[in-house]
Amino acid sequence: MSNTNYDYIFAGGGAAALSLLVRMQQEGLLHNKKVLVIDKDQKAHNDRTWCFWEEKEGLFESCVIKTWDKIRFTSPGYDAKLNPQPYKYKMIRSQAFYQYCNDVISKNSNIHFVQQTIVNFENDEVITLEGRYTGTIIFNSSIQYLNKDESKYHYFLQHFKGKFIETEQPFFEEGVATLMDFNINQNNECRFMYILPISKTKALMEFTIFSENLLDKDEYERELNNYIEEKLKYHAYKVTEEEFGVIPMYNQPFIKKINQHVFNIGTNGGASKASTGFTFHFIQEESKHLIAHFKKHPSLSNYHPKSKGRFQFYDGVFLRVMREKKVPAFYLFNCLFRKLPAYLPLKFLSEETTLIQDFKILRVFPTMVFMKAAIRELFKLPTYRP
Ligand SMILES: Cc1cc2nc3c(=O)[nH]c(=O)nc-3n(C[C@H](O)[C@H](O)[C@H](O)COP(=O)(O)OP(=O)(O)OC[C@H]3O[C@@H](n4cnc5c(N)ncnc54)[C@H](O)[C@@H]3O)c2cc1C
């Protein structure tokens, strides 16, 4: 059993840990600091694909493999190609991201990696199957600590199965990312297809569901295959890679601090947006917030995580409306993309709108349904079940 002291330990070395570590390294905050990253996996492969919208170039711009100027939204009776200016929709594949982060981090010989499985935290110690490591500050993105309270909060999941498709002949409309195609069987849930063309012959096609429970494996496969077959009709194609993912869409505030040494970051720290599952953007915001703090204070004793403010409440109302099913879920997204300029729903979903913009946006939803859900959400009344 080893026991070594570190200034910072990153328990989990995925998107949140590496984003923060790269920023700390680039800001000179790791000078003379001893750092350890512990992950059960070797983070070197394409284990996920991140998409997000951004106005300017971000820190990880060199990892972006595709940018779209146009987005498409399709639902029964409505199909539109929209210009989300000033935003662009972007894709990063994780292998390029891990490589980029490792290149930056490897310049600092005080940053060490171990591939081990974390089992617990005790005060300032990370306990793995193989040893114990002591850290003054520990960032945890590995083990989730959350006591669910079903009487107060909504627990949706964004779950999806995706396939990278390559056609023999040009088929895809390269410049347009289809964020949501609701023209599939909804099964009284929120189900849509997501199509991200990387070129005229390559695309990631994903079957996505927002619901409280996962499906059988076969159902993802069947729905996605049917859609691909129907779309591509007589075009020859092959599947080059697949991905499956589950992202929490919980409106319960996540625990930010386990004790005075262990801080939760990333999905474990509540970075996944409850109403959409989008996380990458919020991970970057969280790391910028931490960097701003570290520039003023060396410790996290007086650190205040960025508050979600009123957006936490909006997410709760939105999830409640989806759970109560008084209107089909696709109709809610339809309201957003049909009645507003495309940048505005994106800005709202990034939690960057002003209060005046919020009013403009909230007015597009069915008033009575939302008013009633908002009142019930405010008083945490039981969810009406259809
Ligand atoms: C397939 C997939 C696609 C996604 N696509 C998008 C997207 O397009 N846009 C978006 O905004 N969000 C997306 N997300 C959501 C979110 O951005 C990612 O999950 C993101 O990686 C979260 O970052 P994180 O650091 O919190 O978690 P992770 O990146 O998962 O990092 C956590 C790390 O902890 C390690 N770990 C876990 N348990 C242990 C343990 N016991 N011991 C040691 N190590 C452990 C894991 O190996 C992992 O490396 C996606 C998620 C998935 C799963």
Side-chain angles (χ1 to χ4, degrees), residues 12-16 39-41 43 48-51 116-118 141-142 160 243-245 247 266-267 278-280 283:
D39 202 293
K40 63 180 169 55
D41 295 332
K43 304 300 282 183
R48 61 201 60 189
T49 307
W50 291 293
C51 289
Q116 294 185 9
T117 299
I118 299 156
S141 56
S142 58
F160 49 92
E243 77 170 22
F244 176 77
I247 307 171
T267 296
F278 277 110
T279 313
F280 194 81
I283 284 176

Side-chain angles (χ1 to χ4, degrees), residues 3-256:
N3 194 334
T4 320
N5 292 310
Y6 291 91
D7 294 292
Y8 300 110
I9 296 181
F10 290 82
L18 295 176
S19 298
L20 180 56
L21 197 45
V22 163
R23 286 180 197 274
M24 288 175 88
Q25 168 70 13
Q26 291 187 336
E27 294 289 342
L29 293 166
L30 299 179
H31 187 61
N32 285 336
K33 303 283 184 198
K34 209 166 167 205
V35 181
L36 178 69
V37 183
I38 309 172
D39 202 293
K40 63 180 169 55
D41 295 332
Q42 212 190 3
K43 304 300 282 183
H45 307 291
N46 275 326
D47 56 6
R48 61 201 60 189
T49 307
W50 291 293
C51 289
F52 54 96
W53 52 90
E54 210 168 41
E55 206 176 319
K56 300 190 182 117
E57 293 198 345
L59 178 60
F60 299 105
E61 196 62 30
S62 63
C63 308
V64 171
I65 59 152
K66 181 71 189 173
T67 299
W68 296 273
D69 294 331
K70 295 228 162 46
I71 55 172
R72 180 175 219 137
F73 179 87
T74 306
S75 67
Y78 181 67
D79 177 28
K81 263 188 240 173
L82 305 164
N83 184 344
Q85 227 184 359
Y87 294 111
K88 287 182 194 297
Y89 201 64
K90 300 180 179 182
M91 177 191 274
I92 289 179
R93 298 220 59 204
S94 57
Q95 189 173 13
F97 174 85
Y98 299 142
Q99 183 64 54
Y100 173 86
C101 295
N102 284 331
D103 288 350
V104 173
I105 294 162
S106 61
K107 294 194 178 106
N108 184 336
S109 58
N110 283 335
I111 304 176
H112 306 276
F113 287 83
V114 290
Q115 194 177 343
Q116 294 185 9
T117 299
I118 299 156
V119 286
N120 207 355
F121 299 95
E122 266 177 27
N123 195 23
D124 59 352
E125 282 191 321
V126 183
I127 302 163
T128 71
L129 289 178
E130 291 86 354
R132 299 171 87 99
Y133 302 92
T134 308
T136 309
I137 294 178
I138 299 165
F139 294 108
N140 169 41
S141 56
S142 58
I143 301 177
Q144 194 181 89
Y145 292 88
L146 190 72
N147 289 325
K148 287 189 183 173
D149 182 350
E150 308 262 352
S151 67
K152 278 196 186 154
Y153 301 109
H154 313 291
Y155 301 93
F156 268 65
L157 299 168
Q158 184 197 126
H159 41 124
F160 49 92
K161 165 97 192 198
K163 293 191 183 195
F164 282 88
I165 302 287
E166 255 184 66
T167 54
E168 273 179 16
Q169 301 297 325
F171 175 79
F172 297 104
E173 195 177 352
E174 200 183 341
V176 187
T178 300
L179 295 199
M180 293 174 142
D181 177 356
F182 279 105
N183 284 318
I184 57 170
N185 177 13
Q186 293 294 298
N187 202 30
N188 204 20
E189 291 179 326
C190 179
R191 295 178 167 208
F192 58 91
M193 294 288 172
Y194 182 48
I195 309 171
L196 301 170
I198 298 155
S199 71
K200 285 188 171 63
T201 55
K202 279 188 201 159
L204 170 60
M205 298 177 84
E206 221 156 66
F207 171 45
T208 307
I209 305 108
F210 295 170
S211 71
E212 290 169 86
N213 299 303
L214 300 182
L215 308 180
D216 285 340
K217 269 189 179 163
D218 295 350
E219 193 170 352
Y220 298 103
E221 193 65 23
R222 196 174 53 243
E223 293 293 322
L224 181 58
N225 286 349
N226 286 347
Y227 184 83
I228 293 171
E229 288 288 325
E230 199 178 298
K231 275 272 160 202
L232 296 178
K233 289 213 171 77
Y234 309 110
H235 290 261
Y237 70 89
K238 64 177 180 198
V239 176
T240 55
E241 279 173 80
E242 298 193 357
E243 77 170 22
F244 176 77
V246 182
I247 307 171
M249 295 169 67
Y250 303 165
N251 70 320
Q252 176 175 358
F254 277 60
I255 298 164
K256 303 280 185 191

Side-chain angles (χ1 to χ4, degrees), residues 308-366:
K308 293 180 90 63
R310 62 189 190 280
F311 293 99
Q312 184 99 25
F313 178 68
Y314 299 155
D315 282 344
V317 176
F318 197 83
L319 291 181
R320 184 178 281 265
V321 170
M322 281 215 286
R323 261 179 110 183
E324 296 187 339
K325 301 182 185 212
K326 292 219 167 117
V327 283
F330 77 81
Y331 182 68
L332 304 175
F333 290 98
N334 195 323
C335 291
L336 278 177
F337 286 103
R338 190 173 192 158
K339 297 182 184 173
L340 295 166
Y343 80 92
L344 209 47
L346 298 188
K347 195 171 182 194
F348 181 63
L349 297 174
S350 297
E351 305 184 350
E352 285 166 351
T353 38
T354 62
L355 205 52
I356 292 171
Q357 288 174 319
D358 292 356
F359 282 122
K360 199 171 164 187
I361 292 160
L362 295 171
R363 276 177 42 206
V364 304
F365 293 122

